[in-house]
Amino acid sequence: MADVDLRHPVGSPYNFYTWSELITDFCENVVLKDSSKQCQVTLVSNSIGTISSLQAVLDKPDLFRGVFVVSPNFRELHSAEVPFSNLAMPIIQTVQKWLRNQGQPLFDTLAKPGIVKEILKEPYVVQEAVDDVLVQVLLDPLLTEGASDVVFDTLSYSAGPLPEQQLSQFPSNKPVWVCYGEDDPWTPAGRVQALKKLPAVEKVVGWDGVGHCPHDEAPELVHPLLFEYLHHLSTSEE
């Protein structure tokens, strides 16, 4: 972990430290704006958002109570994650550069409701959860001006923090619970379970027959666990 490069390769503002600032600013200026007493925020994160949420707690620990993680992302395109990175990364970086410079037609082709729905069916094991409402919620931001720049810069982000690195530095009084779908093709189950070895991670729960977005695919499983986590935080503070 000591050799992990934290810099964005292309110096982009779209990085986990900027996103952490957005989270902390939103919590301070919106969530807690009218609070008359010293309150803290509990973060719930999914997939790549986990990295930003964990970073927010590391940056401003007094602002948060803990993090409830749904299907953490392990950033397989990170330079520290790619096998034979000395050989593979130059190839990956060439593709990333091509996408940044020439990828707009490809982006326009993929940013269509039917194609987005088919893409979502890969990580979603419960196919019924991929409905038109979900597709539109994800597609609308992609159709705003400049969205492709953000997407391609993010795909070029082969540096920055990794979840194990962040959790190994996590404050001991900020509990982390993790849940995931055991049939998720994007999240290696063994690596999720290994998070239990880190002191900050109090619980890891996996569900059979669920994919990358349990909150969409099986809310009847996620919601009770989330309420249990919130209750745990409340009783721990008493």
Side-chain angles (χ1 to χ4, degrees):
M1 288 298 182
D3 295 328
V4 170
D5 189 356
L6 300 180
R7 299 165 298 175
H8 195 300
V10 296
S12 171
Y14 304 116
N15 61 70
F16 293 110
Y17 306 103
T18 304
W19 293 325
S20 166
E21 290 178 7
L22 292 174
I23 293 172
T24 56
D25 287 351
F26 181 81
C27 290
E28 290 175 326
N29 299 317
V30 179
V31 177
L32 300 178
K33 179 181 178 181
D34 299 322
S35 177
S36 58
K37 59 181 181 178
Q38 191 70 19
C39 295
Q40 292 180 308
V41 176
T42 302
L43 294 177
V44 180
S45 65
N46 170 237
S47 191
I48 197 66
T50 298
I51 309 291
S52 303
S53 297
L54 295 177
Q55 191 61 47
V57 177
L58 288 172
D59 289 346
K60 290 198 173 182
D62 292 341
L63 189 58
F64 301 101
R65 301 167 76 195
V67 184
F68 183 88
V69 176
V70 183
S71 301
N73 182 283
F74 292 99
R75 310 197 57 213
E76 287 79 1
L77 286 180
H78 195 292
S79 57
E81 296 289 312
V82 175
F84 308 106
S85 62
N86 288 339
L87 297 174
M89 284 311 300
I91 299 172
I92 292 173
Q93 289 166 352
T94 298
V95 174
Q96 291 169 335
K97 182 178 180 180
W98 182 87
L99 287 171
R100 291 195 305 273
N101 295 333
Q102 308 292 334
Q104 187 65 48
L106 176 62
F107 182 89
D108 294 339
T109 299
L110 295 177
K112 300 282 194 304
I115 294 177
V116 170
K117 178 175 272 191
E118 288 305 310
I119 292 172
L120 287 172
K121 287 180 180 179
E122 179 189 353
Y124 275 70
V125 173
V126 181
Q127 301 282 285
E128 297 77 18
V130 184
D131 57 18
D132 293 340
V133 174
L134 173 66
V135 170
Q136 207 59 47
V137 164
L138 295 174
L139 188 59
D140 283 348
L142 293 175
L143 298 178
T144 59
E145 184 178 356
S148 62
D149 294 335
V150 180
V151 171
F152 293 138
D153 269 18
T154 303
L155 289 175
S156 298
Y157 194 8
S158 53
L162 295 168
E164 293 94 340
Q165 178 191 36
Q166 293 174 306
L167 288 166
S168 67
Q169 304 167 0
F170 226 63
S172 59
N173 61 339
K174 309 296 176 185
V176 176
W177 285 21
V178 180
C179 63
Y180 70 102
E182 293 178 348
D183 295 325
D184 178 359
W186 291 0
T187 305
R191 193 161 174 181
V192 182
Q193 288 293 334
L195 295 176
K196 289 188 290 188
K197 299 176 182 177
L198 299 169
V201 180
E202 294 185 347
K203 181 177 287 193
V204 176
V205 177
W207 294 300
D208 183 42
V210 181
H212 191 62
C213 295
H215 51 291
D216 287 335
E217 300 176 64
E220 70 280 4
L221 299 175
V222 176
H223 292 171
L225 186 65
L226 175 57
F227 287 133
E228 182 186 343
Y229 174 68
L230 295 173
H231 179 71
H232 170 67
L233 292 179
S234 299
T235 55
S236 299
E237 294 172 352
E238 295 176 357

